[in-house]
């Protein structure tokens, strides 16, 4: 009896990427075609409610290739949720997440699979070189190291979402109930055997990046707040330091007044500045607490991780069950 070849799921989140769909499909098929003697492949596209021809192109691909499965969301739920939904739809023995812009080279698929066959549950790409602006490179360098410094567990630096995860990791992710997932950190802190593969990231040739500075900041906040309580501790320490300085100032002022009979001129500007500084500090500390409380609120609401509006290349029975899974993914049902 011929043994069944392992199924590998290629998970691809997309949003307004009509110019990249076909080049990506051709490039990945060229690489996976070299491995068809060893593996079977499927494509799992998650479309974050694109406003261009992205989903019609995916529908055409699904009609031509039965390995292609595409899910269109009812609105834009964000990049991390899109990846998470792709993982929950993946049927493979392992899943490889690839960006459709081809900045992460499909040529590394074979290397990732080799490490997986040797026992690794997670194989991730480590970006040693990027063909991006120096400012964006600097922002990413600071971000990754800040996350690693603040996190209570080790998170690889310069590693993005280009990774392979085993079926064991996929099944564990399905059990998580995270309203605002940060998959880089979540997967990194799971443990098991994890291997980093260095590579040079390509430049984007078609379309525009979907990660402006504001979204990078939002991603940074998700990473920090999802994997660290250090900001809360810093708030406590900062409050204690301010309290000690205030106490010392009161003692010093009282001593000078009683012992040395010092006369202090009225200082309206100084008092106003100190009052404004105090208000600013309190607002900052309350903002940090509010970020954590906001995430707790979102978690307790138990809303769907994503909502699927349309599908392509998915059997009717699979469609119904998968939609139910999406709707209840945060409630544990």
């Amino acid at each position: 009896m011929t043994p069944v070849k392992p199924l590998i799921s290629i998970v691809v989140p997309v949003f307004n990427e009509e110019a990249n769909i076909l080049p990506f499909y051709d490039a990945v098929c060229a690489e996976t075609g070299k491995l068809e003697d060893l593996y079977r492949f499927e494509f799992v596209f998650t479309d974050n409610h694109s406003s261009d021809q992205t989903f019609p192109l995916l529908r055409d691909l699904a009609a031509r290739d039965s390995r292609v499965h595409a899910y269109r969301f009812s609105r834009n739920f964000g990049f991390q949720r899109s990846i998470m939904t792709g993982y929950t739809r993946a049927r493979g023995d392992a899943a490889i997440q690839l960006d459709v812009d081809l900045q992460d080279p499909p040529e590394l698929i074979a290397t990732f699979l080799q490490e997986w066959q040797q026992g690794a549950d997670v194989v991730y790409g480590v970006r040693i070189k990027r063909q991006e602006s120096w400012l964006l490179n600097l922002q990413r360098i600071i971000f990754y190291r800040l996350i690693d410094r603040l996190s209570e567990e080790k998170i690889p630096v310069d590693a993005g979402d280009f990774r392979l995860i085993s079926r064991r990791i996929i099944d564990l992710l399905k059990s998580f109930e995270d309203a605002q997932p940060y998959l880089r950190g979540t997967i990194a802190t799971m443990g098991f055997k994890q291997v980093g593969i260095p590579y040079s990231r390509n430049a984007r040739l078609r379309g525009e990046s979907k990660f402006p500075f504001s979204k990078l900041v939002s991603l940074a906040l998700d990473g920090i707040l999802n994997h660290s309580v250090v900001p809360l501790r810093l708030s406590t320490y900062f409050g204690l330091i301010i309290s000690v300085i205030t106490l010392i100032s009161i003692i010093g002022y009282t001593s000078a007044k009683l012992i040395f009979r010092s006369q202090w001129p009225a200082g309206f500007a100084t008092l106003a500045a100190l009052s404004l500084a105090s208000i600013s500090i309190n607002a900052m500390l309350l903002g940090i607490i509010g970020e954590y409380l906001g995430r707790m609120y979102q978690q307790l609401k138990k809303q769907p991780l994503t909502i699927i509006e349309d599908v392509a290349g998915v059997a009717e029975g699979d469609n119904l069950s998968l939609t139910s899974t999406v709707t209840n993914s945060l409630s544990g049902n």
Side-chain angles (χ1 to χ4, degrees):
M1 182 176 179
T2 304
V4 178
K5 293 180 286 188
L7 175 64
I8 308 302
S9 302
I10 308 296
V11 175
V12 193
V14 295
F15 176 64
N16 288 343
E17 293 285 4
E18 61 182 4
N20 284 305
I21 296 296
L22 295 181
F24 171 85
Y25 174 78
D26 292 339
V28 175
C29 283
E31 295 302 321
T32 56
K34 303 173 185 177
L35 304 169
E36 287 182 345
D37 291 340
L38 301 174
Y39 306 99
R40 295 174 295 138
F41 292 92
E42 69 168 359
F43 295 82
V44 181
F45 290 91
T46 51
D47 178 18
N48 241 324
H49 202 72
S50 297
S51 58
D52 61 4
Q53 293 299 304
T54 294
F55 193 73
L57 287 170
L58 291 176
R59 188 184 295 280
D60 291 343
L61 275 182
R64 291 162 37 198
D65 188 343
S66 61
R67 301 176 303 169
V68 175
H69 313 293
Y71 303 85
R72 175 177 169 82
F73 301 157
S74 61
R75 63 174 176 83
N76 190 332
F77 285 90
F79 184 62
Q80 291 294 302
R81 288 186 174 198
S82 186
I83 299 174
M84 183 67 175
T85 301
Y87 284 151
T88 62
R89 300 302 171 282
R91 301 176 302 166
D93 300 288
I96 299 176
Q97 194 270 309
L98 267 172
D99 287 347
V100 74
D101 56 19
L102 292 175
Q103 288 188 269
D104 299 321
E107 292 81 6
L108 283 181
I109 290 176
T111 304
F112 280 21
L113 290 172
Q114 184 178 13
E115 293 290 345
W116 172 61
Q117 291 283 21
Q118 293 175 0
D121 281 289
V122 180
V123 187
Y124 56 89
V126 180
R127 303 162 180 172
I128 58 175
K129 185 179 180 181
R130 306 167 184 266
Q131 298 186 34
E132 297 172 328
S133 70
W134 68 270
L135 180 59
L136 186 57
N137 278 332
L138 179 62
Q139 291 168 358
R140 293 183 187 275
I141 289 172
I142 293 173
F143 162 63
Y144 286 127
R145 282 149 184 80
L146 181 62
I147 292 289
D148 182 54
R149 178 70 64 176
L150 293 180
S151 176
E152 297 178 2
E153 298 186 56
K154 182 69 175 178
I155 297 179
V157 297
D158 298 324
D161 291 299
F162 178 33
R163 69 174 78 84
L164 174 149
I165 58 174
S166 67
R167 170 49 58 182
R168 173 159 56 176
I169 299 295
I170 295 172
D171 290 339
L172 284 172
L173 283 176
K174 288 182 178 180
S175 69
F176 278 49
E177 298 183 6
D178 196 344
Q180 293 177 288
Y182 179 71
L183 292 170
R184 302 177 194 180
T186 299
I187 293 173
T189 56
M190 279 185 178
F192 303 108
K193 182 179 179 181
Q194 304 197 15
V195 178
I197 304 295
Y199 75 102
S200 297
R201 199 163 197 242
N202 301 322
R204 173 185 271 267
L205 299 178
R206 291 166 291 271
E208 297 179 354
S209 173
K210 306 307 183 294
F211 270 89
F213 180 72
S214 60
K215 288 193 175 181
L216 289 176
V217 172
S218 177
L219 183 63
L221 285 175
D222 284 341
I224 293 170
L225 299 180
N226 278 22
H227 294 278
S228 177
V229 295
V230 171
L232 289 175
R233 290 176 184 158
L234 291 178
S235 299
T236 302
Y237 297 151
F238 192 66
L240 289 173
I241 291 171
I242 295 298
S243 299
V244 170
I245 293 174
T246 301
L247 180 61
I248 293 173
S249 300
I250 291 173
I251 294 173
Y253 175 80
T254 304
S255 300
K257 189 74 173 177
L258 296 177
I259 299 174
F260 301 103
R261 305 292 180 181
S262 300
Q263 297 297 321
W264 303 101
F268 175 79
T270 302
L271 290 175
L274 291 174
S275 297
L276 291 173
S278 177
I279 293 172
S280 299
I281 291 170
N282 286 330
M284 179 189 70
L285 301 183
L286 286 173
I288 293 174
I289 297 172
E291 285 288 341
Y292 282 96
L293 289 176
R295 279 161 171 74
M296 292 171 62
Y297 169 69
Q298 293 291 338
Q299 189 72 29
L300 291 172
K301 288 172 68 177
K302 293 190 179 297
Q303 291 184 333
L305 186 67
T306 54
I307 300 173
I308 293 177
E309 177 183 83
D310 200 359
V311 297
V314 181
E316 184 177 353
D318 292 339
N319 177 23
L320 292 174
S321 62
L322 288 174
T323 303
S324 174
T325 302
V326 177
T327 305
N328 297 299
S329 60
L330 292 184
S331 61
N333 294 331

